[in-house]
Each structure stands twice: as structure tokens, then as C-alpha cells.
Amino acid sequence: MRRRGRAADGPEETPPTALPRPVERAAAPDDARFAALRAAWSAAWPEALGAWGRFTRLHPPRLLGAGAVSGASSFAWFSLGDVEVTVDLEQVLDLGIEDHAVAVLAHEIGHHVHAPGDMLTAGKMTVQARLGLVDLDDRVGLVTNLWSDMLINDRLQTRAGIDMVSLWRRLGPPQGDVMRLVLRTDEILWSLPAGTLTGPGPQHDAEAQLLSRLVRTYAENPVDGVGGFAMVLRPFLVQDTAPGGGQTVADLRCAQHEHPGTPVPGLATDGGAMRLPVHPALDRSVVGDLGRAESDTAPEGGLLPDPSPTQSRGSTLTPADYTAVLQSLGVATTPEAAAIAWYREHAARHLVPFPTTTQPSAPETLLGGLDPWETGDDLADVDWTATMLASPVVVPGMTTVRRHLDTTTSTETEDQPVDLDLYLDSSGSMPDPRHQPAPIALAGAVLALSALRSGARVQATTWSGPQQVAGTDGFTRDATAVMSAVVAYFGGGTSFPVPLLERTHLGGAGIVGGRGARDGAHEARHPTARRPGPGTDHSSGTGTGTGSGQHRRRHIAVISDSGVVSMFSDSWRLPEGFDPLTTSAARAVRAAGGGGSLVLNVAEPPDRYVDMAPGYAVYTVTSWDDVVPFARDLARTLWGQNA
């Protein structure tokens, strides 16, 4: 539920897309008034649950006392991530609604069991509201909450017998056109005389009639109705604004507050998320044949039949849209974090078992027979139990014995995954993965997450020009650090980080006869993305630095275009007398021991790249969309039976 309040005058600024979470602090001890109120509202909880069915269960609400919270924009709010209802009793007393506990609590429960119900539904509603509002992203959270409030209040009033009318009367009449329209719609839904909730003034009957039909049509389907609701509200939202630019309906009486980082699983890959909403006046589910022309051959200017929202087809969200949706929900931390979540979700369906190599298990030690222990042998070898059993009198060299130990080679083997050294081109010819779908980043996510799932370690590096390198700075099992490197973007020149390749597999810089150590500019690291995560291995050399002394093979994978030439030469043309076997790239792939792959988006035949890159399997794709299927099939292509 909401009630309009007028924002204070001030400089124009864009309102936040999501409300800040209230700050809680230690509350003062309850006086008699708060103690009685807390007891009364706690006693009302079972009845509020019963409004949604006999079997509805939710843990009791958090009833905050005097001074227990600051920055709350409403007297009640819910959190889908915490599955929790919170009420500020201090505001309840200020508003004089202490006798409406059942109505308030039942309404908040409705957000958990009806609209939106879960984070995925909340995300879908946010997407549809953004499409309906077109350019009012800062009002999306407001509209989705208002729509949920209308569905919940109508169900409680008409089906559960909860007196929502008395609560609205106590809160007082609205002062702005948005809330006046919402409450006029409630009057129509509940067969109340005009002005019962809205008070005197313009009633917007035409829009309210349309919204009342919309509420009843999509009473059980909040996602498909919210886009049309946003379209009807948009003109009122534009007009219903205070002089300082603040929204006059921002004085919320119910709000959603989520913790930053709360996941919204399934939203990024929802195929119908971007389905275009239909205005209720053209939605046959709402108005029947009223929104259709008189005949299929209606003259120009007649209303053409539009499909209902459930019949339209859409597409998935872009990373930029996904970020905006998470921001409206209040769960986005940074655009980078939102992009990581987007690519992880899209990569999940493509993950494949990463290739492994078979290693013999450690030799087993077997107890053998007893041998004499002679003077001069290591005293620690004496088997004192066997010696005392043979004779209670110990005579060194005569009665002392030692146990003979045999070793046998284990017939069992264990699979050891091949580590992945991944390099992603981030030059100006590549799309920014944080704003639009980038197949190169998705392919990198598929490879890296497949490797991590199999138990391998990954070093991920995104590169562009000199001093433009971002990555994990070593092999790691930290998926977040790896994905941070995958979604990094520079958009600069093209200069492969050969010094990093040398340091990783050859133990340092320095090269013979090919592209080698350069001016050291590549060693500069991205200030946020290139940071070691937990378990990061900074070892280098011939693929052995695992921290345990055990040999681990590494596969070098590079995804680029014609700019991959910078991996082998300082210029776009190979120098006279170029020897591909002596380049850093060739020596690195031999030292890595797990092979190498070059995935190149080039139109020319691959022969040129095959000749300059011995030890690497060269794959050419005609478009970046082909990169993802390649990444999915990489394990099968290179390792066959282990994939």
C-alpha cells in the first residue's frame, strides 16, 4: 500500500531506481504503549496468515520499537530474499493505524505468497514495467509495487473479508493524481461510491474503469498485467511531480527492500522477458472485442487487433537491461557484478566436463617380514613390539628385529583436470560485455566455469593494448575473480600480453628470435579486475607450480581475431626470417603440456595462423555467434573420451 506525499523543494535530481534499505539500530526499551502494541500485533499474525489459506506458514514479523530504525520510507516492508515482514511500530502509532494489524500484516504476507511471491517473478515484473514506462526507469520500483498492492488488496477485500477500506480511510485521501487513480480503481473494484477513498476532486473514471478490468483479468498473473498498468500510469507519473523533481507518490506505505547481491535466478535466460507489453485498451483479454476493429478489413484509423501479452514473443535481457532491472530491485552492487551474474547464468546450460589426464595414485606401503636389527642400524627402525615378543631380554644385535617394508605400485588411477590459461581479446573490435551480449565473453565463461566445475584452476586474462590487461594474476579456483576478468573491457588497441605468457609458463621474460619481452607496459594491471582471489597460484615455469610439487598440465586458450598476430610478432607483418618454433608462444605451449587453442574470428583461410602457431589447434569462426558452440564442444574436440 502507498500514500502520496509531496517531496521537499530542492535542486533537480534523478530519484534513485530503488529505495535505500532502512538502517536498524538498538531500540529503546518498550514503554507500556509499545509493549501493548507489540503484543496485539503479534496476536494478529495467525489471523493474517489465515487470510491466505489454512496452510500458509511464515515466521512471525519483526516488530520494531521506538527508535529502532531510521531512513524507512514506509511503516511496513517485505524482503523476498529474507522471506520476512518488518513493521515500524513507531510510524504505526504516528499514523494512527494501530487497530489495523490484520489488514497491514495480511497485505505484507501477500507479497510473499501472491505478488510478486519470489525474486524471479519480481524481476519479470520489473522488466515489463520498464518496457511500459519507456524512459522512466526511476519509477519502475514504484509501479511494480503499486501493481502488486492493487492485486493483493483486491483479493483481501473481496475474497478474504479483510477490511482494507477502513485502513485506507484512516490513512486519509491522496493528494496526487497517481494515488487518486489507484484508489478510484479500488472504489470501482469494491463497488464504493466515488470519493469514498479518493475524497473530492477529479476522479479519472475512464482510466480507473480500464484498470479495474486489468486487475481482475490478471489477478493471478501479475507479470502479464504490470506492463499495461505502467502504460496507463505513465502520463500521470510524468505530471504528478513536485516542483523540485521528486515524485509525489514517493511517501510509500509499503515497500520492498532486498540485500545487495540477492540472486534472481532464471531472469537473465528467460526467453520471454523482453516481450512487449500491450496497452489494456488494446488487450482483448481485458476489453474483449472492444479493442478490435469492427471487421478484419477495418478502414485506416480503426483499432487493429493486437495480441495479448501471453501470445507475444520476446527475447532475453541484454547485460545493460539486466543491470537496470537489478538496480530497480535494489539488489545490484555494481554493473560488473550484474554482468558476472548474467554471463554465469547464460553459460550454465553450456557447461561441459573439462578434459582430465589420468595420474597414478601414490605407491602403497605393505608390511613385510622381520629382519635382524644389527648394531649400527638406525635405532628408529627397531620394531620393539616384535623384539619384546621374541625375548623379554633385549640384546642389541642379537634379539632385536626390524620390520621389512615393501612398496607396490597402485593399480588405481585418479583423474587430474587440465588447468586453463585463458586469454580474451578486449580491443575496440569487440563488444563491451557489460552493456551488450558479447559471445567472446560468454565463450570464456563457458570454458572457465567448465574448468572450475571439474576441479581445475583457471588463469583468466582480458587484454587489449599496452597497459591494458585485467585478470586473476595467477591460477585460482575463485569463480568470482575469474568472471571479473572475463567481463572486463578496454576497447583499445591490440597487443597480446606476451610477458604474462612467459612468466606463467617459462618462468620469466626473455626470448630468442621472436616476440619476447617488450617495454614492460603489459605488466600494468587493471586496478580492480586483476587481483588475486583465494587460492590463487602465482607459480610459473613448465607447468609444475601447483603448490604441492605435483605436475599439472595447462591448456592455453586464446579467443581473438586477426589481432592474434601480436602474440607472435611486434608488427602486423611477420619479420624476415621468422621462426615460429622460437617464439614465446610456441615455447609456452610446449612447456604448458596441455596443448593450446586459437579461436579466431577471421574471414581468411586459417593456414597463415597455423603456420605461425605450432602447437596450437587453430579454429576459425565466421561470426562471434559461432564461438559459444565451439567453447561447448572444446572438451569433446580435444580430449575425446574424457569429455
Side-chain angles (χ1 to χ4, degrees), residues 9-35:
D9 293 344
E12 291 192 5
E13 59 180 12
T14 301
T17 57
L19 292 170
R21 191 176 180 89
V23 177
E24 297 183 22
R25 53 178 180 262
D30 282 346
D31 56 24
R33 184 178 55 164
F34 276 102

PDB file of all heavy atoms in Angstrom, residues 9-35:
ATOM      1  N   ASP A   9      11.013  20.880  -1.775  1.00  0.00           N
ATOM      2  CA  ASP A   9      11.638  21.602  -2.874  1.00  0.00           C
ATOM      3  C   ASP A   9      13.147  21.509  -2.758  1.00  0.00           C
ATOM      4  O   ASP A   9      13.712  21.463  -1.678  1.00  0.00           O
ATOM      5  CB  ASP A   9      11.231  23.076  -2.846  1.00  0.00           C
ATOM      6  CG  ASP A   9       9.750  23.235  -3.142  1.00  0.00           C
ATOM      7  OD1 ASP A   9       9.161  22.262  -3.645  1.00  0.00           O
ATOM      8  OD2 ASP A   9       9.203  24.317  -2.856  1.00  0.00           O
ATOM      9  N   GLY A  10      13.809  21.518  -3.883  1.00  0.00           N
ATOM     10  CA  GLY A  10      15.258  21.435  -3.867  1.00  0.00           C
ATOM     11  C   GLY A  10      15.777  21.352  -5.277  1.00  0.00           C
ATOM     12  O   GLY A  10      15.025  21.425  -6.238  1.00  0.00           O
ATOM     13  N   PRO A  11      17.074  21.188  -5.453  1.00  0.00           N
ATOM     14  CA  PRO A  11      17.632  21.095  -6.793  1.00  0.00           C
ATOM     15  C   PRO A  11      17.163  19.844  -7.494  1.00  0.00           C
ATOM     16  O   PRO A  11      16.920  18.819  -6.876  1.00  0.00           O
ATOM     17  CB  PRO A  11      19.150  21.045  -6.522  1.00  0.00           C
ATOM     18  CG  PRO A  11      19.267  20.544  -5.126  1.00  0.00           C
ATOM     19  CD  PRO A  11      18.100  21.073  -4.406  1.00  0.00           C
ATOM     20  N   GLU A  12      17.026  19.944  -8.796  1.00  0.00           N
ATOM     21  CA  GLU A  12      16.559  18.803  -9.565  1.00  0.00           C
ATOM     22  C   GLU A  12      17.602  17.704  -9.554  1.00  0.00           C
ATOM     23  O   GLU A  12      18.788  17.934  -9.722  1.00  0.00           O
ATOM     24  CB  GLU A  12      16.267  19.216 -11.012  1.00  0.00           C
ATOM     25  CG  GLU A  12      15.079  20.130 -11.150  1.00  0.00           C
ATOM     26  CD  GLU A  12      14.657  20.264 -12.592  1.00  0.00           C
ATOM     27  OE1 GLU A  12      15.243  19.574 -13.450  1.00  0.00           O
ATOM     28  OE2 GLU A  12      13.755  21.056 -12.855  1.00  0.00           O
ATOM     29  N   GLU A  13      17.100  16.479  -9.340  1.00  0.00           N
ATOM     30  CA  GLU A  13      17.981  15.324  -9.388  1.00  0.00           C
ATOM     31  C   GLU A  13      17.144  14.121  -9.754  1.00  0.00           C
ATOM     32  O   GLU A  13      15.929  14.094  -9.556  1.00  0.00           O
ATOM     33  CB  GLU A  13      18.678  15.092  -8.045  1.00  0.00           C
ATOM     34  CG  GLU A  13      17.726  14.881  -6.909  1.00  0.00           C
ATOM     35  CD  GLU A  13      18.439  14.659  -5.594  1.00  0.00           C
ATOM     36  OE1 GLU A  13      19.656  14.896  -5.540  1.00  0.00           O
ATOM     37  OE2 GLU A  13      17.782  14.252  -4.636  1.00  0.00           O
ATOM     38  N   THR A  14      17.764  13.111 -10.308  1.00  0.00           N
ATOM     39  CA  THR A  14      17.044  11.910 -10.677  1.00  0.00           C
ATOM     40  C   THR A  14      16.856  11.030  -9.460  1.00  0.00           C
ATOM     41  O   THR A  14      17.832  10.689  -8.789  1.00  0.00           O
ATOM     42  CB  THR A  14      17.838  11.117 -11.748  1.00  0.00           C
ATOM     43  OG1 THR A  14      18.020  11.965 -12.873  1.00  0.00           O
ATOM     44  CG2 THR A  14      17.075   9.874 -12.169  1.00  0.00           C
ATOM     45  N   PRO A  15      15.616  10.662  -9.107  1.00  0.00           N
ATOM     46  CA  PRO A  15      15.403   9.821  -7.944  1.00  0.00           C
ATOM     47  C   PRO A  15      16.084   8.477  -8.130  1.00  0.00           C
ATOM     48  O   PRO A  15      16.274   8.007  -9.252  1.00  0.00           O
ATOM     49  CB  PRO A  15      13.868   9.665  -7.901  1.00  0.00           C
ATOM     50  CG  PRO A  15      13.339  10.789  -8.732  1.00  0.00           C
ATOM     51  CD  PRO A  15      14.377  11.048  -9.765  1.00  0.00           C
ATOM     52  N   PRO A  16      16.480   7.838  -7.051  1.00  0.00           N
ATOM     53  CA  PRO A  16      17.121   6.540  -7.178  1.00  0.00           C
ATOM     54  C   PRO A  16      16.156   5.511  -7.734  1.00  0.00           C
ATOM     55  O   PRO A  16      14.942   5.612  -7.553  1.00  0.00           O
ATOM     56  CB  PRO A  16      17.527   6.201  -5.733  1.00  0.00           C
ATOM     57  CG  PRO A  16      16.586   7.004  -4.879  1.00  0.00           C
ATOM     58  CD  PRO A  16      16.315   8.252  -5.658  1.00  0.00           C
ATOM     59  N   THR A  17      16.694   4.511  -8.429  1.00  0.00           N
ATOM     60  CA  THR A  17      15.844   3.471  -9.007  1.00  0.00           C
ATOM     61  C   THR A  17      15.328   2.517  -7.951  1.00  0.00           C
ATOM     62  O   THR A  17      14.361   1.815  -8.180  1.00  0.00           O
ATOM     63  CB  THR A  17      16.632   2.681 -10.063  1.00  0.00           C
ATOM     64  OG1 THR A  17      17.812   2.143  -9.458  1.00  0.00           O
ATOM     65  CG2 THR A  17      17.029   3.571 -11.211  1.00  0.00           C
ATOM     66  N   ALA A  18      15.949   2.435  -6.802  1.00  0.00           N
ATOM     67  CA  ALA A  18      15.475   1.585  -5.717  1.00  0.00           C
ATOM     68  C   ALA A  18      15.639   2.337  -4.412  1.00  0.00           C
ATOM     69  O   ALA A  18      16.556   3.139  -4.249  1.00  0.00           O
ATOM     70  CB  ALA A  18      16.260   0.267  -5.681  1.00  0.00           C
ATOM     71  N   LEU A  19      14.740   2.079  -3.490  1.00  0.00           N
ATOM     72  CA  LEU A  19      14.800   2.756  -2.205  1.00  0.00           C
ATOM     73  C   LEU A  19      15.945   2.213  -1.369  1.00  0.00           C
ATOM     74  O   LEU A  19      16.220   1.007  -1.386  1.00  0.00           O
ATOM     75  CB  LEU A  19      13.485   2.528  -1.444  1.00  0.00           C
ATOM     76  CG  LEU A  19      12.252   3.209  -2.040  1.00  0.00           C
ATOM     77  CD1 LEU A  19      11.008   2.708  -1.340  1.00  0.00           C
ATOM     78  CD2 LEU A  19      12.362   4.707  -1.914  1.00  0.00           C
ATOM     79  N   PRO A  20      16.646   3.076  -0.620  1.00  0.00           N
ATOM     80  CA  PRO A  20      17.698   2.574   0.257  1.00  0.00           C
ATOM     81  C   PRO A  20      17.102   1.744   1.383  1.00  0.00           C
ATOM     82  O   PRO A  20      16.007   2.008   1.869  1.00  0.00           O
ATOM     83  CB  PRO A  20      18.346   3.864   0.789  1.00  0.00           C
ATOM     84  CG  PRO A  20      17.289   4.903   0.661  1.00  0.00           C
ATOM     85  CD  PRO A  20      16.491   4.531  -0.555  1.00  0.00           C
ATOM     86  N   ARG A  21      17.829   0.722   1.767  1.00  0.00           N
ATOM     87  CA  ARG A  21      17.355  -0.156   2.829  1.00  0.00           C
ATOM     88  C   ARG A  21      17.397   0.595   4.161  1.00  0.00           C
ATOM     89  O   ARG A  21      18.385   1.261   4.469  1.00  0.00           O
ATOM     90  CB  ARG A  21      18.232  -1.407   2.900  1.00  0.00           C
ATOM     91  CG  ARG A  21      17.659  -2.503   3.806  1.00  0.00           C
ATOM     92  CD  ARG A  21      18.527  -3.751   3.754  1.00  0.00           C
ATOM     93  NE  ARG A  21      17.987  -4.775   4.615  1.00  0.00           N
ATOM     94  CZ  ARG A  21      17.103  -5.676   4.230  1.00  0.00           C
ATOM     95  NH1 ARG A  21      16.672  -5.662   2.983  1.00  0.00           N
ATOM     96  NH2 ARG A  21      16.654  -6.594   5.068  1.00  0.00           N
ATOM     97  N   PRO A  22      16.330   0.506   4.979  1.00  0.00           N
ATOM     98  CA  PRO A  22      16.336   1.195   6.273  1.00  0.00           C
ATOM     99  C   PRO A  22      17.490   0.729   7.146  1.00  0.00           C
ATOM    100  O   PRO A  22      17.909  -0.431   7.098  1.00  0.00           O
ATOM    101  CB  PRO A  22      14.983   0.792   6.880  1.00  0.00           C
ATOM    102  CG  PRO A  22      14.128   0.404   5.718  1.00  0.00           C
ATOM    103  CD  PRO A  22      15.065  -0.192   4.718  1.00  0.00           C
ATOM    104  N   VAL A  23      17.993   1.643   7.937  1.00  0.00           N
ATOM    105  CA  VAL A  23      19.102   1.340   8.839  1.00  0.00           C
ATOM    106  C   VAL A  23      18.529   1.049  10.223  1.00  0.00           C
ATOM    107  O   VAL A  23      17.830   1.887  10.810  1.00  0.00           O
ATOM    108  CB  VAL A  23      20.090   2.521   8.910  1.00  0.00           C
ATOM    109  CG1 VAL A  23      21.207   2.217   9.899  1.00  0.00           C
ATOM    110  CG2 VAL A  23      20.649   2.816   7.516  1.00  0.00           C
ATOM    111  N   GLU A  24      18.819  -0.118  10.726  1.00  0.00           N
ATOM    112  CA  GLU A  24      18.313  -0.502  12.037  1.00  0.00           C
ATOM    113  C   GLU A  24      19.379  -0.251  13.093  1.00  0.00           C
ATOM    114  O   GLU A  24      20.572  -0.338  12.835  1.00  0.00           O
ATOM    115  CB  GLU A  24      17.886  -1.971  12.037  1.00  0.00           C
ATOM    116  CG  GLU A  24      16.737  -2.258  11.081  1.00  0.00           C
ATOM    117  CD  GLU A  24      16.282  -3.703  11.144  1.00  0.00           C
ATOM    118  OE1 GLU A  24      16.545  -4.352  12.178  1.00  0.00           O
ATOM    119  OE2 GLU A  24      15.681  -4.184  10.166  1.00  0.00           O
ATOM    120  N   ARG A  25      18.924   0.035  14.287  1.00  0.00           N
ATOM    121  CA  ARG A  25      19.832   0.264  15.402  1.00  0.00           C
ATOM    122  C   ARG A  25      19.174  -0.247  16.672  1.00  0.00           C
ATOM    123  O   ARG A  25      18.008  -0.646  16.662  1.00  0.00           O
ATOM    124  CB  ARG A  25      20.163   1.755  15.521  1.00  0.00           C
ATOM    125  CG  ARG A  25      18.957   2.691  15.593  1.00  0.00           C
ATOM    126  CD  ARG A  25      19.389   4.136  15.754  1.00  0.00           C
ATOM    127  NE  ARG A  25      18.259   5.039  15.817  1.00  0.00           N
ATOM    128  CZ  ARG A  25      17.793   5.726  14.794  1.00  0.00           C
ATOM    129  NH1 ARG A  25      18.382   5.614  13.611  1.00  0.00           N
ATOM    130  NH2 ARG A  25      16.755   6.538  14.933  1.00  0.00           N
ATOM    131  N   ALA A  26      19.918  -0.213  17.760  1.00  0.00           N
ATOM    132  CA  ALA A  26      19.393  -0.698  19.027  1.00  0.00           C
ATOM    133  C   ALA A  26      18.211   0.162  19.455  1.00  0.00           C
ATOM    134  O   ALA A  26      18.293   1.393  19.478  1.00  0.00           O
ATOM    135  CB  ALA A  26      20.488  -0.675  20.098  1.00  0.00           C
ATOM    136  N   ALA A  27      17.122  -0.486  19.760  1.00  0.00           N
ATOM    137  CA  ALA A  27      15.909   0.240  20.126  1.00  0.00           C
ATOM    138  C   ALA A  27      15.892   0.527  21.621  1.00  0.00           C
ATOM    139  O   ALA A  27      16.504  -0.178  22.423  1.00  0.00           O
ATOM    140  CB  ALA A  27      14.676  -0.581  19.753  1.00  0.00           C
ATOM    141  N   ALA A  28      15.176   1.584  21.969  1.00  0.00           N
ATOM    142  CA  ALA A  28      14.981   1.881  23.384  1.00  0.00           C
ATOM    143  C   ALA A  28      14.031   0.854  23.984  1.00  0.00           C
ATOM    144  O   ALA A  28      13.200   0.263  23.272  1.00  0.00           O
ATOM    145  CB  ALA A  28      14.402   3.296  23.535  1.00  0.00           C
ATOM    146  N   PRO A  29      14.132   0.593  25.261  1.00  0.00           N
ATOM    147  CA  PRO A  29      13.206  -0.363  25.887  1.00  0.00           C
ATOM    148  C   PRO A  29      11.756   0.068  25.675  1.00  0.00           C
ATOM    149  O   PRO A  29      11.428   1.253  25.705  1.00  0.00           O
ATOM    150  CB  PRO A  29      13.606  -0.308  27.372  1.00  0.00           C
ATOM    151  CG  PRO A  29      15.013   0.198  27.376  1.00  0.00           C
ATOM    152  CD  PRO A  29      15.114   1.138  26.216  1.00  0.00           C
ATOM    153  N   ASP A  30      10.888  -0.917  25.419  1.00  0.00           N
ATOM    154  CA  ASP A  30       9.483  -0.616  25.185  1.00  0.00           C
ATOM    155  C   ASP A  30       8.839   0.001  26.422  1.00  0.00           C
ATOM    156  O   ASP A  30       9.025  -0.489  27.548  1.00  0.00           O
ATOM    157  CB  ASP A  30       8.724  -1.895  24.826  1.00  0.00           C
ATOM    158  CG  ASP A  30       8.966  -2.314  23.385  1.00  0.00           C
ATOM    159  OD1 ASP A  30       9.496  -1.487  22.624  1.00  0.00           O
ATOM    160  OD2 ASP A  30       8.624  -3.457  23.045  1.00  0.00           O
ATOM    161  N   ASP A  31       8.098   1.086  26.196  1.00  0.00           N
ATOM    162  CA  ASP A  31       7.255   1.559  27.281  1.00  0.00           C
ATOM    163  C   ASP A  31       5.939   0.782  27.219  1.00  0.00           C
ATOM    164  O   ASP A  31       5.754  -0.110  26.383  1.00  0.00           O
ATOM    165  CB  ASP A  31       7.039   3.067  27.193  1.00  0.00           C
ATOM    166  CG  ASP A  31       6.445   3.494  25.853  1.00  0.00           C
ATOM    167  OD1 ASP A  31       5.800   2.650  25.193  1.00  0.00           O
ATOM    168  OD2 ASP A  31       6.617   4.660  25.467  1.00  0.00           O
ATOM    169  N   ALA A  32       5.020   1.110  28.104  1.00  0.00           N
ATOM    170  CA  ALA A  32       3.775   0.343  28.177  1.00  0.00           C
ATOM    171  C   ALA A  32       3.001   0.399  26.864  1.00  0.00           C
ATOM    172  O   ALA A  32       2.398  -0.591  26.434  1.00  0.00           O
ATOM    173  CB  ALA A  32       2.916   0.875  29.330  1.00  0.00           C
ATOM    174  N   ARG A  33       3.055   1.556  26.186  1.00  0.00           N
ATOM    175  CA  ARG A  33       2.309   1.697  24.937  1.00  0.00           C
ATOM    176  C   ARG A  33       2.856   0.784  23.855  1.00  0.00           C
ATOM    177  O   ARG A  33       2.107   0.072  23.178  1.00  0.00           O
ATOM    178  CB  ARG A  33       2.362   3.160  24.495  1.00  0.00           C
ATOM    179  CG  ARG A  33       1.544   3.462  23.248  1.00  0.00           C
ATOM    180  CD  ARG A  33       1.596   4.929  22.874  1.00  0.00           C
ATOM    181  NE  ARG A  33       2.972   5.395  22.725  1.00  0.00           N
ATOM    182  CZ  ARG A  33       3.308   6.535  22.119  1.00  0.00           C
ATOM    183  NH1 ARG A  33       2.378   7.315  21.640  1.00  0.00           N
ATOM    184  NH2 ARG A  33       4.570   6.900  22.018  1.00  0.00           N
ATOM    185  N   PHE A  34       4.192   0.765  23.676  1.00  0.00           N
ATOM    186  CA  PHE A  34       4.793  -0.086  22.649  1.00  0.00           C
ATOM    187  C   PHE A  34       4.667  -1.561  23.021  1.00  0.00           C
ATOM    188  O   PHE A  34       4.485  -2.411  22.150  1.00  0.00           O
ATOM    189  CB  PHE A  34       6.267   0.281  22.452  1.00  0.00           C
ATOM    190  CG  PHE A  34       6.475   1.439  21.518  1.00  0.00           C
ATOM    191  CD1 PHE A  34       6.755   2.708  22.001  1.00  0.00           C
ATOM    192  CD2 PHE A  34       6.354   1.270  20.152  1.00  0.00           C
ATOM    193  CE1 PHE A  34       6.936   3.777  21.135  1.00  0.00           C
ATOM    194  CE2 PHE A  34       6.537   2.324  19.280  1.00  0.00           C
ATOM    195  CZ  PHE A  34       6.826   3.589  19.767  1.00  0.00           C
ATOM    196  N   ALA A  35       4.780  -1.885  24.298  1.00  0.00           N
ATOM    197  CA  ALA A  35       4.656  -3.279  24.713  1.00  0.00           C
ATOM    198  C   ALA A  35       3.267  -3.814  24.396  1.00  0.00           C
ATOM    199  O   ALA A  35       3.115  -4.940  23.896  1.00  0.00           O
ATOM    200  CB  ALA A  35       4.956  -3.409  26.207  1.00  0.00           C
TER     201      ALA A  35
END
